[in-house]
Amino acid sequence: MAEKQSIFTTLPEIKERHIAENETAWAFLTNIPITPGHALVCPKRVVETLEELTEKELFDIFALTSLVKDALRKTFGAEGFNSAWNEGSDYGQSVPHFHLHIVPRTPGDEGITEYEPRKFLYRPGSREDSPEAELAAVAQSIRNNVT
């Protein structure tokens, strides 16, 4: 049986936004960031929900999240983070591949100011796609701080 694929595993431009990886997980920048450095951490294996992840994948996702957050602190001076995932196409999951959003926060940024869960990650019409060249440059800056 062929391994399941998603746009995260098949779109070439996502490889340019790659930040870091470990054995079973990887991180890359989203194309519609809430704040600069808004990253996604997901398993290399395509699964839709948290319950489908193995213990190793869960461990690796959260270990990588810690590494990415440290790099975002160094790159952007992040003082805090918003982190969340969506499950189900009717509930905000636009790509059926589990992914944890890591949104770096700094004082006075233009990110989320209302923490009501339904407004947290997706505010339709309020964010533009970022140019791929800009995302690739930001990803390189973050990779330089992955230690």
Side-chain angles (χ1 to χ4, degrees):
M1 185 172 169
E3 196 170 305
K4 200 171 178 183
Q5 298 290 311
S6 79
I7 63 168
F8 293 162
T9 61
T10 59
L11 284 180
E13 56 268 28
I14 289 179
K15 288 180 178 52
E16 296 298 316
R17 295 188 237 140
H18 176 271
I19 295 170
E21 67 182 295
N22 58 28
E23 186 179 342
T24 69
W26 66 301
F28 57 95
L29 295 178
T30 183
N31 64 317
I32 308 173
I34 291 174
T35 62
H38 178 167
L40 304 179
V41 179
C42 65
K44 292 177 180 178
R45 184 174 66 97
V46 178
V47 298
E48 292 184 37
T49 66
L50 181 79
E51 292 78 17
E52 295 173 82
L53 296 168
T54 66
E55 285 185 23
K56 173 71 170 149
E57 288 168 330
L58 277 168
F59 180 85
D60 283 356
I61 285 168
F62 284 99
L64 190 57
T65 295
S66 182
L67 184 77
V68 168
K69 286 172 64 176
D70 187 53
L72 293 173
R73 283 184 192 96
K74 292 174 185 172
T75 305
F76 298 104
E79 294 181 9
F81 295 88
N82 295 122
S83 303
W85 68 87
N86 298 315
E87 290 186 7
S89 61
D90 289 342
Y91 310 104
Q93 187 178 24
S94 58
V95 177
H97 185 163
F98 178 88
H99 52 286
L100 176 62
H101 292 258
I102 308 298
V103 182
R105 300 305 305 269
T106 56
D109 67 29
E110 298 286 323
I112 301 154
T113 57
E114 293 183 47
Y115 294 98
E116 197 279 322
R118 289 175 295 246
K119 296 179 181 179
F120 173 63
L121 282 176
Y122 293 99
R123 300 166 297 158
S126 64
R127 294 183 290 149
E128 300 282 328
D129 276 21
S130 292
E132 288 297 328
E134 177 184 318
L135 291 168
V138 171
Q140 182 60 53
S141 295
I142 297 167
R143 281 193 298 270
N144 291 340
N145 286 302
V146 172
T147 55

